[in-house]
């Protein structure tokens, strides 16, 4: 309440002095409640120390939970356990997918600089996941432009779930031992494209995780450093409508 009052005061003072509002948009969270839905209070002893959460799961998990648990202006329950559910349900799924790629890409010495460009033109699974990827880019961009990080974050969660449970699971044999080298490199190239794009989409939400992924996937394989060395210096992804196939 005090924070919202402060934002209102900025408008009131600016209008009185300059005849115009002091800012165009702002996102402010609703009440942070305890795990049972009660308002946090020192007298009740139900206040959660943020550092307890950060030390257990990291700042990115804390940020992601606050973005995706409920729309920004709504009240949301908060506890160490609830943030832990986010880590198990989203972060570990993403990290396991990333680790799968890194493990087998290192074994096969995959070099993204020599990968098929653009990826995924032949295999139906590749075209399917790239179609979903570019729909995701469009959806995340639209929702962030509309100041709705909750919908944007949930779209990313949905995509990561499909990337892990559908694309990677159905493509495993292509990475392990493929009788068609071109098909294997196409699979690597497609998954690489998805992970690099995810690191850029996640950068505003989970800056540390996004940076770790980007540095390893992009910066470390570019000895000439011709591109941005940080995900936070890279351009935000742009959707390519030609790669979206609604029928597929």
């Amino acid at each position: 309440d005090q924070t919202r009052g402060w934002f209102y005061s900025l408008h009131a003072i600016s209008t009185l002095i300059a005849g115009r509002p002091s800012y165009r948009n702002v996102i402010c969270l609703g009440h942070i409640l305890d795990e049972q839905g009660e308002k946090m209070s020192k007298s009740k002893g139900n206040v959660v120390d943020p550092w307890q959460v950060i030390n257990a799961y990291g700042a990115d998990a804390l940020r992601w939970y606050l973005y995706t648990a409920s729309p920004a202006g709504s009240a949301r329950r908060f506890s160490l356990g609830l943030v832990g559910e986010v880590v198990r349900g989203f972060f570990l799924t993403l990290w396991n997918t990333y680790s799968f790629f890194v493990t087998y890409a290192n074994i096969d010495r995959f070099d993204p600089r020599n990968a098929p460009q653009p990826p995924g033109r032949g295999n139906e699974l590749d075209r399917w996941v790239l179609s979903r990827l570019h729909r995701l880019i469009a959806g995340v961009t639209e929702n962030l432009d509309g100041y709705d990080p909750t919908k944007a974050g949930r779209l990313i969660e949905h995509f990561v779930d499909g990337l892990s449970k559908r694309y990677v699971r159905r493509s495993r044999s292509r990475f392990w031992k493929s009788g068609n080298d071109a098909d294997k490199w196409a699979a690597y190239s497609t998954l690489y494209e998805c992970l690099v794009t995810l690191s850029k989409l996640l950068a505003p939400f989970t800056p540390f995780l996004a940076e770790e992924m980007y540095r390893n996937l992009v910066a470390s394989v570019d000895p000439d450093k011709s591109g941005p060395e940080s995900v936070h210096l890279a351009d935000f992804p742009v959707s390519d409508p030609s790669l979206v196939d609604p029928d597929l």
Side-chain angles (χ1 to χ4, degrees), residues 1-247:
D1 292 339
Q2 292 169 332
T3 304
R4 286 194 287 264
W6 181 71
F7 282 124
Y8 168 77
S9 298
L10 291 179
H11 268 329
I13 295 170
S14 178
T15 302
L16 287 168
I17 294 174
R20 58 181 174 80
S22 57
Y23 55 86
R24 293 182 178 179
N25 292 284
V26 65
I27 298 176
C28 186
L29 292 180
H31 287 301
I32 309 296
L33 310 175
D34 69 9
E35 195 166 14
Q36 283 70 45
E38 297 290 333
K39 188 174 180 179
M40 289 189 186
S41 167
K42 288 182 180 179
S43 61
K44 288 183 179 180
N46 62 346
V47 174
V48 177
D49 179 1
W51 283 107
Q52 181 186 9
V53 180
I54 292 172
N55 289 333
Y57 296 118
D60 279 350
L62 171 60
R63 289 164 61 96
W64 188 259
Y65 176 77
L66 292 176
Y67 283 137
T68 60
S70 64
S74 303
R76 82 271 325 280
R77 294 181 302 137
F78 182 79
S79 72
L80 183 65
L82 290 171
V83 177
E85 290 177 11
V86 165
V87 172
R88 291 185 291 273
F90 171 64
F91 280 80
L92 289 183
T93 300
L94 173 61
W95 194 257
N96 287 339
T97 304
Y98 164 76
S99 297
F100 172 86
F101 170 82
V102 171
T103 298
Y104 287 98
N106 285 332
I107 291 173
D108 287 326
R109 297 184 180 180
F110 169 75
D111 187 339
R113 293 169 296 180
N114 300 325
Q117 295 294 332
R121 288 298 193 188
N123 185 280
E124 197 171 56
L125 269 173
D126 293 346
R127 289 189 290 112
W128 171 79
V129 78
L130 287 174
S131 178
R132 290 198 62 193
L133 178 68
H134 283 271
R135 288 180 64 185
L136 172 69
I137 295 170
V140 170
T141 302
E142 178 184 359
N143 282 290
L144 288 183
D145 285 346
Y147 291 82
D148 193 341
T150 303
K151 286 184 180 178
R154 289 176 180 178
L155 287 175
I156 295 174
E157 285 181 333
H158 185 63
F159 176 82
V160 168
D161 185 68
L163 182 67
S164 170
K165 295 180 181 178
R166 292 176 177 83
Y167 180 76
V168 171
R169 185 174 294 177
R170 294 175 183 274
S171 298
R172 284 182 184 273
S173 60
R174 301 169 66 199
F175 296 97
W176 287 338
K177 49 181 180 180
S178 173
N180 183 340
D181 283 344
D183 183 60
K184 172 183 275 196
W185 300 130
Y188 274 122
S189 181
T190 301
L191 185 52
Y192 178 82
E193 178 78 10
C194 290
L195 291 170
V196 171
T197 302
L198 278 171
S199 73
K200 296 176 181 179
L201 292 175
L202 285 167
F205 300 91
T206 57
F208 302 109
L209 174 64
E211 182 75 344
E212 175 69 18
M213 291 174 60
Y214 180 88
R215 286 287 183 100
N216 189 39
L217 293 171
V218 179
S220 67
V221 299
D222 183 8
D224 300 326
K225 303 297 181 189
S226 57
E229 64 177 345
S230 168
V231 71
H232 304 296
L233 299 176
D235 290 336
F236 201 72
V238 177
S239 178
D240 182 351
S242 69
L243 295 178
V244 177
D245 186 342
D247 292 335

